[in-house]
Amino acid sequence: MEVWEEELEPVSPNGHYFNSSVLSVSVLAVLEYEIPIDDSQTLSLLENVFLPISPRFSSIMIEKNGKKQWKKVEVKLEDHVKTPIFPSNMSNESYDEYFDDYISSIATKRFPQDKPLWEVHVIKYPNSNAAGNVIFKLHHALGDGYSLMGALLSCLQRADNPSLPLTFPSRLPSETKSENVVTKTISSLLSTISDFWWGISKSFRGEDDPSPIKSSNHGLEFAPITISTITISLDRIKLIKSRLGVAASRYVHSTLKNSSMMISSMIGPVQKMSLANQPIKGLYFLVVGTPEELDISIVSYMGKVRLAFTAKKGIIDPQKLKLCMENALNMISNAADKNSMQNSTEEQSHI
C-alpha cells in the first residue's frame, strides 16, 4: 500500500478514545432497497462520490512521536467491499436470521489498522424488510455520528428528481413563546456545563445498579449483539408532542443520565432516496462497540420514525423489548388523547 508524504492531520481526542485497546466504536448505517440490488456501480460510486467527502476516508491512523495522526494512503476499494454468500432459494424469514447473524458478526469485528476505517457490505438476499441491504460500517474515529450520517446522506439523491436536494422535516418549537438571544445563550451554556460535569462525575461515581437492562458483566463492548427495529408514524409522534406540550431533548437528556443504555437520534429526509437510481425503502443506523447493554438509535425517513435496538445477546429479549416499546407508545398515545379531550372539555366549560 502506497503512503503519500504530506502534512499529517492530528487525531482528535474522540478519535483516540473510540479507537483504542479498550474501545472500538463504529456506526452501522443500513439502507433497505426496494428492488434487488445492482452493485455494478459500487466501486465507481465509492471512488467518485464517497471518498472525496472526507480525507479521513482515504487515511489510516498512525502513531508518530507518541501522537496519533491521520496519514493519507492509496485506497484499494476492493478490500473495503464485502459481499457475503448465503444459501440460495430460502424464505424471507430464513434470510432474516442470516442477516441478523451477519450484521452481529461485523458489528463486533475490529477494523484492520493498516487500511482506512470503513467498509461497505452488500447483501443481495431479500428479507422481511427489503429486497436487499447495503451496510456502511464507519469507525467512530472518523467523525461524530452526525457528520458520518451526513456524509452518507450526501451520497444519496431524491428518487423522484435527482437534480433537487433532499429536504428534512421542520423543527418547529412546541410553544410560540419567544426567547431573547441572551436567554437562549445562557440556557445553552448552562446545559453544556451540566452535561460536561455529569459526564465527568459519572466516570468517578461508578456504574448503575444491575437491572433488566444492566448486568454486572465486563467486556460487553466485544460481546455478540442482537438487532431489532420498529417503525412509528412521525405524524403520530408530533400529535403526542403537541397534545402533551413536551420534540424530545429534555426526554433524551433525562434518559441519558441512566447510563445503562444510550440513545442516538437524527432527522432524516422527507422524500424517498435512491442510490445509483435504485430506490431506498428504509433507513436506520446503529452504534456498535459500546459497553452498554442496550443502545437505541432513532432516525426519521419519509414520514416514519425507525427505532433500532442493539442489545447484548442473552441479557435482553429483543422481541419482548419491541413489544414493550409498542405497548408503551400506545399507552402514551391513549393518554395524550385523553389529556386533549379533558383540556377541550375544561375550555368549553369556561366559555
Side-chain angles (χ1 to χ4, degrees):
M1 178 171 57
E2 179 184 351
V3 179
W4 299 342
E5 290 298 329
E6 59 179 31
E7 185 177 353
L8 303 182
E9 177 192 357
V11 175
S12 68
N14 281 344
H16 280 265
Y17 306 148
F18 287 138
N19 189 30
S20 67
S21 59
V22 179
L23 280 179
S24 182
V25 182
S26 299
V27 174
L28 301 185
V30 183
L31 301 179
E32 297 176 327
Y33 277 60
E34 196 169 74
I35 60 177
I37 295 176
D38 175 10
D39 61 347
S40 60
Q41 300 183 58
T42 298
L43 296 183
S44 63
L45 284 171
L46 291 174
E47 182 177 5
N48 299 317
V49 179
F50 179 74
L51 290 184
I53 293 174
S54 171
R56 295 182 186 177
F57 294 159
S58 304
S59 302
I60 61 173
M61 191 181 293
I62 65 169
E63 189 164 333
K64 187 174 183 179
N65 299 326
K67 297 181 180 180
K68 288 188 176 181
Q69 297 173 305
W70 293 108
K71 184 73 174 180
K72 190 87 170 176
V73 298
E74 181 182 3
V75 182
K76 294 183 178 179
L77 294 173
E78 295 83 358
D79 294 342
H80 295 264
V81 179
K82 316 292 182 182
T83 306
I85 302 298
F86 297 164
S88 302
N89 302 320
M90 300 183 69
S91 66
N92 288 356
E93 291 72 21
S94 297
Y95 282 128
D96 285 341
E97 296 183 18
Y98 277 92
F99 177 79
D100 291 344
D101 290 342
Y102 183 79
I103 199 171
S104 178
S105 68
I106 66 172
T108 54
K109 187 176 181 181
R110 283 181 172 268
F111 281 99
Q113 297 297 301
D114 61 344
K115 299 181 180 68
L117 303 175
W118 60 270
E119 294 173 348
V120 176
H121 300 259
V122 182
I123 302 175
K124 297 183 178 182
Y125 303 91
N127 59 23
S128 298
N129 294 320
N133 293 268
V134 169
I135 304 170
F136 284 79
K137 182 179 180 182
L138 309 172
H139 200 289
H140 226 317
L142 297 171
D144 59 50
Y146 284 100
S147 63
L148 293 179
M149 288 299 294
L152 174 61
L153 291 176
S154 69
C155 297
L156 301 170
Q157 300 173 315
R158 281 180 58 158
D160 60 344
N161 190 340
S163 64
L164 295 177
L166 293 168
T167 59
F168 297 81
S170 60
R171 301 181 63 181
L172 298 177
S174 58
E175 299 179 5
T176 57
K177 180 178 64 177
S178 61
E179 296 179 294
N180 60 45
V181 175
V182 175
T183 301
K184 290 183 178 180
T185 303
I186 293 176
S187 175
S188 177
L189 178 61
L190 290 176
S191 296
T192 301
I193 294 174
S194 173
D195 292 344
F196 177 76
W197 175 249
W198 174 83
I200 294 295
S201 61
K202 182 63 181 177
S203 64
F204 289 101
R205 287 183 305 185
E207 60 186 42
D208 292 345
D209 295 331
S211 70
I213 60 170
K214 175 66 177 175
S215 73
S216 57
N217 298 334
H218 297 285
L220 290 176
E221 54 270 26
F222 306 116
I225 61 173
T226 62
I227 296 165
S228 56
T229 68
I230 62 173
T231 303
I232 305 170
S233 167
L234 183 59
D235 289 337
R236 188 180 184 190
I237 294 178
K238 289 180 178 179
L239 184 62
I240 294 173
K241 172 184 174 295
S242 64
R243 288 179 173 175
L244 296 181
V246 295
S249 59
R250 293 182 182 178
Y251 168 75
V252 172
H253 179 272
S254 63
T255 303
L256 284 176
K257 288 184 177 180
N258 305 318
S259 56
S260 302
M261 65 177 181
M262 179 181 71
I263 297 179
S264 303
S265 63
M266 69 172 294
I267 298 173
V270 174
Q271 298 87 9
K272 178 177 289 188
M273 302 181 296
S274 67
L275 182 60
N277 297 318
Q278 299 177 78
I280 304 300
K281 178 183 178 182
L283 164 71
Y284 62 93
F285 72 97
L286 311 163
V287 180
V288 298
T290 60
E292 295 93 4
E293 280 81 352
L294 175 64
D295 289 338
I296 302 176
S297 59
I298 308 169
V299 65
S300 64
Y301 179 49
M302 291 198 304
K304 301 289 185 180
V305 174
R306 192 74 171 271
L307 281 74
F309 308 97
T310 306
K312 299 299 186 289
K313 280 188 176 179
I315 297 177
I316 299 174
D317 184 332
Q319 298 306 317
K320 183 179 291 187
L321 176 63
K322 283 180 58 175
L323 182 61
C324 288
M325 292 295 292
E326 291 167 350
N327 290 339
L329 177 65
N330 289 330
M331 292 172 63
I332 294 172
S333 182
N334 293 334
D337 290 340
K338 186 176 181 180
N339 181 73
S340 178
M341 293 177 60
Q342 181 177 351
N343 290 340
S344 177
T345 301
E346 292 177 351
E347 290 176 359
Q348 291 179 0
S349 66
H350 289 304
I351 298 177

